[in-house]
Amino acid sequence: MPRPSSKPRSSSPAKALAKAPAKDQVKTKTPTKKKPPARVAQAAKPSVGANAKAVQAVPTLKEVAAPRAASRHATRRPRARAEDDMEGPETGDRQFVTALARGLDVLAAFRRGEGRLGNQELAERTGLPKPTISRITHTLTQLGYLNYNQRLSQYELGGATLSLGYAALSNLDVRRIARPFMQELANATNLTVALALRDKLMMLNIETCEGQALVGLRLSPGSRMPIATTAMGRAYLAVVSEAERTTILNDLRGQFGDEWPSMRRSIERSIKDIEEQGFCVSIGGQKDINGAAAAIPIPDGRGFYALSIGGPAYLASPDYVATEVGPMVAEAARKVIALLGGDMPARPARK
C-alpha cells in the first residue's frame, strides 16, 4: 500500500505566485524614537558637560543682530562720498565746496523787491532738488541767514545776511571815494549815476546817485543790470583779463542763441571805445535807456568796477550821451582811480 505524502497539497503554481508577496514589496518598519528638542533634552540632563553644550547652542546677541544689520545696509541708499561735496562739478577743483556753493546759490536767489520765497520757488531758481532746498533753508534759518514765516511757509533774508552786506559795503574804499564825484555828476546832468561790480552775468549796483529830475532812471544799491546789453557791463568786460572775458562771453553765447553774433560785435565795439576814448555808450539797449560808462580797475589787481551814467531817451539823447555825458563819466572815473592810487589802463588787463 503506498505511503501518503507528508507535504500538504497546494494549489496551482499561478495561484501560489499571486498570493506570495514580491520580495521588493516587503517593507520592514524599524521603530523610531522621537528625540526631544536639543535644548529640552540637554536641559533635562544634569551633567555639567551637557549644560555647557546647551549654553553654546544659544545664539549670542551679536549673531542675532548681524543678519538684521546686513539687511539694513543692503537696503540703505549709499551715502555720497566726501569728494562729491568737495569737488567742483565741472572743473574737478578739489578746493571747491559744493555744499557751500549750493547754500550761497539759495541766498542769491532772493532779489530786490520780490519779497519772500518758498522752497518750490527756490528749487526752480537754483535748479536744485526740493529735498536739498529744504535742508539748506533749514540750516540757513538756524544760522540766522534766513527768516521763516510759518503762516506763509516762505523765507526771507535774515539779519546775518544783512550784516554781511553792510560789512562788505562799509569796507569798500572805492564806494566811499567815488560817491562825491558821482553825486556831482548826477547834479550836473540830472541823470542817474551808478557804481557796480560783476555778479555772474549781471552787474550789481553797490552805490547810486540821482539828479534833480522828477522822472528818470531809478536804481538802488542791490539792483542788477545785464552785463551784455548795458554800458557798465561792457566797460567791465573791456578791462578784465582775456581769460575771464572769454569765460563770460562763452556763457553769454548760450544765453543769446541766434542773436549772439550781432551782440558779440556790439560788445567788441564797446571794448574798442574804452581803449580809445575811456568810455563806451549803450543806446536803447535796456528799455529805451541811453547811457555811458567807464571802468575803474582797483590797484594791485584787487578787482574791477564800472562807473555808469544814464537815463531815459528823452533826457539822454544819443548825441548828448556820446559828446557830453560820456567824457564826463570818463573824467570822474580817472579821478577815482587816481585817489585809489592806480592808473587808467590804455589797454585791457592781461592775464
Side-chain angles (χ1 to χ4, degrees), residues 72-228:
R72 287 198 305 268
H73 287 298
T75 57
R76 183 184 299 172
R77 186 179 65 181
R79 295 183 60 188
R81 298 181 305 154
E83 291 81 356
D84 294 339
D85 288 336
M86 299 294 293
E87 190 170 307
E90 296 179 357
T91 61
D93 185 1
R94 297 183 65 83
Q95 298 299 320
F96 187 92
V97 183
T98 302
L100 175 59
R102 290 173 176 173
L104 295 176
D105 284 342
V106 169
L107 293 177
F110 290 87
R111 300 166 187 166
R112 177 180 174 271
E114 292 187 348
R116 303 178 183 89
L117 297 174
N119 283 335
Q120 182 62 40
E121 294 167 303
L122 290 170
E124 293 173 356
R125 293 191 177 188
T126 60
L128 296 174
K130 191 174 179 181
T132 301
I133 291 292
S134 298
R135 293 193 298 270
I136 293 175
T137 52
H138 173 78
T139 303
L140 293 174
T141 301
Q142 294 297 314
L143 296 176
Y145 291 97
L146 291 179
N147 291 332
Y148 180 64
N149 187 308
Q150 293 186 353
R151 183 175 64 86
L152 300 176
S153 298
Q154 292 180 329
Y155 298 87
E156 61 184 355
L157 295 178
T161 306
L162 299 178
S163 297
L164 283 178
Y166 286 125
L169 289 176
S170 63
N171 290 330
L172 288 177
D173 290 339
V174 62
R175 175 173 171 264
R176 175 179 54 82
I177 292 174
R179 182 168 178 78
F181 300 104
M182 294 171 60
Q183 190 61 59
E184 180 182 356
L185 188 57
N187 293 338
T189 60
N190 275 334
L191 300 177
T192 300
V193 183
L195 180 68
L197 51 78
R198 183 172 79 91
D199 179 19
K200 298 181 180 178
L201 298 182
M202 305 290 285
M203 295 299 292
L204 174 66
N205 292 314
I206 60 174
E207 186 64 87
T208 59
C209 294
E210 298 178 356
Q212 302 299 321
L214 297 178
V215 179
L217 177 63
R218 293 288 182 259
L219 295 176
S220 61
S223 58
R224 290 175 169 85
M225 305 290 284
I227 195 172

Side-chain angles (χ1 to χ4, degrees), residues 238 268-280 334 345-348:
E268 290 175 349
R269 283 195 302 268
S270 297
I271 293 174
K272 186 177 180 180
D273 290 341
I274 289 286
E275 295 177 1
E276 295 178 350
Q277 57 192 21
F279 69 92
C280 65
R334 291 189 186 95
R347 299 289 180 184

